[in-house]
Amino acid sequence: MPYALFCDDAKLSKSYPTEADVWKLAAESGLVTDVEAKDSKPAPRRVLDNDYEIRPCQAEPGECPEKNERDAQAEKDFQLALTG
């Protein structure tokens, strides 16, 4: 089942193969904040800003979550090559 970024019921991102893929893209976009852990956990926990959520979803007709993930990685690699 693919995953995407949502705010309320609005889908804000393309669909990606795993929840981890969406977390990674959200972090790279500056949408993730580390907050102090409660219950004496040793590490901070990650939360999404602005009431965003990552939820399972259906891919749009003709959309390929795996291709979206490959395209996002290629774009990141391209940006790194430009700045490197």
Side-chain angles (χ1 to χ4, degrees):
M1 166 83 43
Y3 289 82
L5 183 68
F6 287 82
C7 185
D8 297 321
D9 287 326
K11 182 178 171 187
L12 302 177
S13 73
K14 296 177 181 179
S15 300
Y16 293 92
T18 68
E19 185 176 2
D21 292 327
V22 183
W23 271 106
K24 180 179 169 186
L25 292 165
E28 291 170 357
S29 298
L31 301 176
V32 176
T33 303
D34 289 332
V35 296
E36 186 174 319
K38 295 181 182 179
D39 303 327
S40 68
K41 292 182 182 174
R45 64 184 182 98
R46 301 182 321 170
V47 297
L48 292 165
D49 292 338
N50 300 322
D51 297 323
Y52 294 135
E53 296 179 276
I54 297 172
R55 300 193 307 216
C57 65
Q58 293 295 322
E60 299 295 324
E63 182 181 35
C64 177
E66 290 78 11
K67 182 180 182 314
N68 291 340
E69 196 278 327
R70 286 191 307 271
D71 290 348
Q73 185 61 46
E75 177 68 23
K76 179 183 173 190
D77 292 346
F78 178 74
Q79 292 298 326
L80 288 173
L82 288 178
T83 61

